[in-house]
């Protein structure tokens, strides 16, 4: 967003607001308030020139001062350091500074038209000057400054996110914070106490003027009172409408944006953000909403990332708290898969191609394991360790493991067919499956954990996988696993073998 262009619009808003206020107060003392000394004097060219010159001088001083103050906001926005803090602080203070400059101008106008103007035209008295200063600065200046503040704030909200892309307005210190309660209280004072005070002063001054007055002049006093009431009602209504619209917008606008953002989140859009355009309670709510959405987005990211390591069913069970990750004894089926002739293939192939092909192989096998609710515990070089029945217990974990092995065989055959067409060497692997009771849980240090299975069945499953090399098979199933399958698969019994670390022979079956 072009901040300079926004500042130009803000300057014109301030100029028009003060010009309208100046014309109204001049009209009041010139044609409405019969007690004003200039009421009975004809409007002269010199008075008009004085008004134009004085108004232009006050506006010029305000514009020059405001431009110097706002100069840091028109350049590049620093990302860090004292310069960034200064820019952020001034960005929040823009409406306050514009209102302060306007009120300072009205103070100058009170001195100019309440003291200097009567002295030049020869009707200066302390009482009249006090009335003029009160009317110009205390009444017109206060209302105009409030209107300028809310009008500038309304327009500046479009540019404020440029300085706060993260919406962290509350982190800026040393700035004014116009609370919603104070905002509404100010409007109450503007729309009720000030008009009532003016009407009270009117009633007092007109009543004080009636005793001893010429009977012929009494109707003029009453008529002037009527004109005063009409003027106050008309100007008060316009000011009330303007202030009410700006204040209502200052509260309803951010709440509407928040409601829209909440609707987006409800529909699943976690990339939405609620613009933070105020540093009051509503802005704090918007910041809190953005932090909440950020937390949801981070949680969803972790959930999706976690889902890359385990199946969605297991992920959801763990995140729902229905699965304990503390150590517990479970009967599970363990599957090990290992590539054959891996070392010669690596020596004959470029490193990048090896990594690419290995990742493609792991992706195929991982999908087969996940499809049958298995959990890939780890990739060890060219080996895969997977578990069925942990951390979520499934009664048919042995069947799930065997079906996963069959799908791994089919996927490897299809993948090898593509490799042969691409002129590459097909790969082979061996799979070992064993069932037993293990200790399952989070294992590791205080800084890093991994879900692991501990127990002799894990070692035996790895040994059974290695037997594929000796027996010329690709999938071997232990006798413990076979007893849980109820004859669902075609298994060929092989001679019992003794594996490393076991004193008794192991019963194994080849999966046809």
């Amino acid at each position: 967003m072009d901040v300079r262009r926004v500042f130009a619009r803000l300057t014109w808003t301030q100029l028009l607001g003060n010009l309208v206020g100046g014309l109204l107060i001049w009209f009041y003392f010139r044609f409405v308030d019969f007690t004003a000394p200039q009421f009975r004097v004809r409007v002269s060219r010199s008075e008009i020139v004085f008004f134009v010159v004085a108004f232009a001088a006050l506006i010029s001083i305000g514009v020059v001062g405001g431009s110097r103050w706002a100069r840091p906001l028109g350049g590049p926005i620093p990302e860090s350091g004292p310069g960034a803090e200064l820019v952020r602080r001034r960005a929040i203070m823009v409406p306050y500074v514009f209102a302060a400059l306007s009120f300072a101008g009205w103070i100058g106008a009170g001195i100019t038209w309440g003291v200097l103007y009567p002295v030049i035209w020869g009707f200066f008295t302390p009482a009249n000057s006090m009335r003029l200063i009160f009317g110009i600065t205390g009444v017109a200046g206060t209302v105009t400054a409030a209107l300028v503040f809310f009008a500038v704030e309304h327009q500046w909200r479009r540019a404020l996110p440029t300085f706060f892309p993260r919406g962290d307005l509350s982190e800026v210190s040393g700035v004014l914070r116009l609370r919603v309660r104070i905002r509404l209280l100010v409007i109450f004072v503007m729309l009720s106490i000030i008009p009532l005070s003016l009407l009270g002063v009117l009633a007092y001054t007109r009543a004080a003027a009636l005793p001893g007055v010429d009977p012929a002049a009494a109707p003029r006093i009453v008529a002037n009172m009527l004109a005063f009431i009409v003027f106050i009602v008309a100007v008060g209504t316009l000011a009330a409408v303007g202030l009410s619209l700006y204040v209502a917008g200052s509260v309803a606008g951010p709440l509407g944006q928040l409601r829209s953002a909440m609707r987006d989140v409800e529909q699943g859009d976690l990339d939405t953000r609620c613009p933070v355009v105020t540093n009051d309670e509503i802005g704090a709510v918007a910041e809190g909403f953005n932090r909440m959405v950020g937390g949801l987005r981070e949680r969803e990211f972790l959930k999706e990332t976690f889902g890359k390591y385990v199946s969605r069913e297991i992920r959801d069970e763990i995140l729902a708290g229905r699965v304990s990750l503390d150590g517990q004894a479970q009967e599970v089926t363990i599957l090990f898969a290992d590539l054959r002739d891996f070392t010669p293939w690596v020596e004959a192939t470029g490193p990048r191609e090896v990594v690419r092909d290995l990742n493609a192989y792991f992706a195929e096998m991982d999908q087969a394991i996940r499809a049958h609710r298995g959990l890939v515990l780890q990739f060890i070089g060219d080996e895969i360790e997977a578990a069925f029945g942990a951390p979520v217990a499934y009664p048919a974990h042995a069947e799930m493991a065997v079906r996963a092995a069959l799908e791994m065989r089919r996927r490897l055959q299809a993948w090898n067919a593509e490799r042969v067409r691409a002129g590459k060497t097909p790969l082979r692997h061996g799979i070992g499956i064993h069932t037993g009771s293990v200790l399952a849980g989070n294992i590791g240090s205080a800084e890093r954990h991994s879900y692991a299975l501990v127990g002799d069945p894990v070692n035996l499953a790895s040994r059974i996988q290695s037997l594929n090399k000796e027996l010329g098979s690709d999938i071997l199933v232990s006798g413990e696993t076979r007893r849980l399958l109820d004859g669902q698969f075609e298994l060929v019994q092989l001679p019992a073998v003794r594996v490393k670390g076991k004193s008794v022979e192991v019963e194994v079956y080849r999966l046809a």
Side-chain angles (χ1 to χ4, degrees), residues 12 40 95 136 146 173 247 280 354 363 489:
W12 277 106
R40 299 179 181 84
I136 294 172
S173 60
V247 172
D280 55 12
V354 169
F489 302 93

Side-chain angles (χ1 to χ4, degrees), residues 275-312:
V276 183
V277 294
T278 62
N279 64 339
D280 55 12
E281 297 92 333
I282 298 177
V285 171
E287 288 188 36
F289 173 82
N290 289 335
R291 286 194 298 269
M292 180 195 71
V293 175
L296 292 175
R297 187 165 53 245
E298 182 178 352
R299 180 180 178 185
E300 189 67 21
F301 171 76
L302 293 175
K303 183 178 177 181
E304 292 299 321
T305 302
F306 189 32
K308 295 179 181 179
Y309 294 89
V310 299
S311 67
R312 293 183 179 273

Side-chain angles (χ1 to χ4, degrees), residues 435-453:
T435 301
S437 180
V438 299
L439 182 64
N442 276 331
I443 305 296
S445 66
E447 300 296 328
R448 182 181 177 88
H449 286 263
S450 63
Y451 185 76
L453 307 181

